[in-house]
Amino acid sequence: MKAEMKNILVTGAVGQIGSELTMALRKKYGADNVVATGRKTEPSQELLDSGPFYFIDVTERASLDVVIKKHNIDTIYHMAAILSAVGEKHPHLCWDVNMNGSINVLDAAIDYNMTRVIIPSSIAAFGPDTPIENTPNDTILRPTTMYGVTKVCGERLGDYFVQKFGIDVRGLRYPGIISAETLPGGGTTDYAVEIYYKAVEDGKYTCFVSEDTRLPMMYMPDCIDATIDLAEADFAKLKHHCDFNLASMSFSAGELAASIKKYIPDFEVKYDPDYRQEIADSWPSSIDDSVARQEWGWKPEWNLDKMTKDMLEKLRKRHREGRLYKK
Ligand code: AKB
């Protein structure tokens, strides 16, 4: 196993987390050393102009291999995934992309003697039988969504590759991620991003979960820091590998709306729960991330009001410039 991360591949680089992660990695490791890949969605001009980009399909091993060989890849951040809401509409697609994509990446890590693989998990790995408050790291994993099933399998698969083949695989359970840059797609926590855009655009929003739905959330700068910090942590200090709880803040949809109202007093919110309510209800309200804090020094920086201020500043500026929704 090599020790250095020199040539990095990001799958799902056009997605919500992947797009900002790619830019952060390019800043840190050099633009040409971070190869961005996506499946179908057109990448932003920023992503295209700042370094290499390829369209690949992670479910087809050959398309992955072309880019790995060409750029002598030694590290993969495997961000490509079908999220919870789309996963419930298309469970076979969710299984195919999330599981076959992950095993292709892990097999490639063996074949090309890679340094490291990062495969994120999610709070979706938990289910209704899991303790709902301050959910421990090592607890009951019985998800009721296909996305959650693939996330538990992904965690176990990653740990299996660590134990069986000595591959360095790491992963963390993301809460809902909020950012002002790339919109999320197909998740249950997407309301926590949409609400900011609609507050700025229309001054009103109809939320697809109930007012008292409380979920763990995180602002993107913390998410990027956590992902890179875990990737750079000393392997010898890790007792866990692919299943780190990660927390920053937890709030209900009503508390989120109240935070926005501090800046937009006449903001109106209605609640009209749809099929995503059941998914949200199966997930924890808050997370105990003490294992991540102990094993690799995780410490979040952002809270709800600080995030709201930053989100609204960014989105209002873009709205004034006529480009609230980035291309
Ligand atoms: C989703 O809502 O599906 C994701 C997640 C919590 O993993 N944002």
Side-chain angles (χ1 to χ4, degrees), residues 83-84 122-123 147 187-189 283:
L83 301 188
S84 56
S122 159
I123 54 164
Y147 174 60
T188 300
T189 57
W283 293 348

Side-chain angles (χ1 to χ4, degrees), residues 5 26 60 83 95 104 106 109 116 118 140 150 180 205 207 209 213 215 263 269 281 290 292 295 308 316 326:
M5 295 186 280
R26 283 183 173 165
E60 284 169 21
L83 301 188
W95 176 266
N104 280 341
L106 289 167
R116 198 153 301 159
I118 315 300
I140 299 164
T150 67
Y205 178 60
C207 184
V209 299
T213 302
L215 288 175
Y263 299 90
V269 187
D281 287 344
S290 50
E295 292 188 29
T308 296
R316 279 171 153 165
K326 286 187 177 179

Side-chain angles (χ1 to χ4, degrees), residues 175-178 216-220 222-223 246-249 298 307:
I177 305 296
I178 296 165
M217 300 279 176
M218 178 173 279
Y219 198 31
M220 186 63 91
D222 271 342
C223 170
L246 185 68
S248 156
M249 50 182 118
W298 165 240
M307 171 177 78

Side-chain angles (χ1 to χ4, degrees), residues 17-89:
I17 304 175
S19 57
E20 289 190 55
L21 179 66
T22 301
M23 297 311 295
L25 291 170
R26 283 183 173 165
K27 207 165 153 200
K28 194 171 172 76
Y29 295 99
D32 289 340
N33 303 324
V34 180
V35 181
T37 61
R39 192 170 74 93
K40 252 190 356 213
T41 313
E42 280 302 319
S44 66
Q45 207 53 48
E46 186 186 32
L47 208 58
L48 279 180
D49 290 347
S50 61
F53 178 88
Y54 298 88
F55 282 110
I56 65 165
D57 182 344
V58 292
T59 66
E60 284 169 21
R61 176 65 203 273
S63 79
L64 203 54
D65 282 21
V66 171
V67 182
I68 292 172
K69 277 191 214 145
K70 184 159 180 203
H71 289 270
N72 196 19
I73 296 296
D74 54 46
T75 301
I76 300 183
Y77 284 77
H78 179 44
M79 311 306 288
I82 300 289
L83 301 188
S84 56
V86 170
E88 284 316 278
K89 298 265 181 219

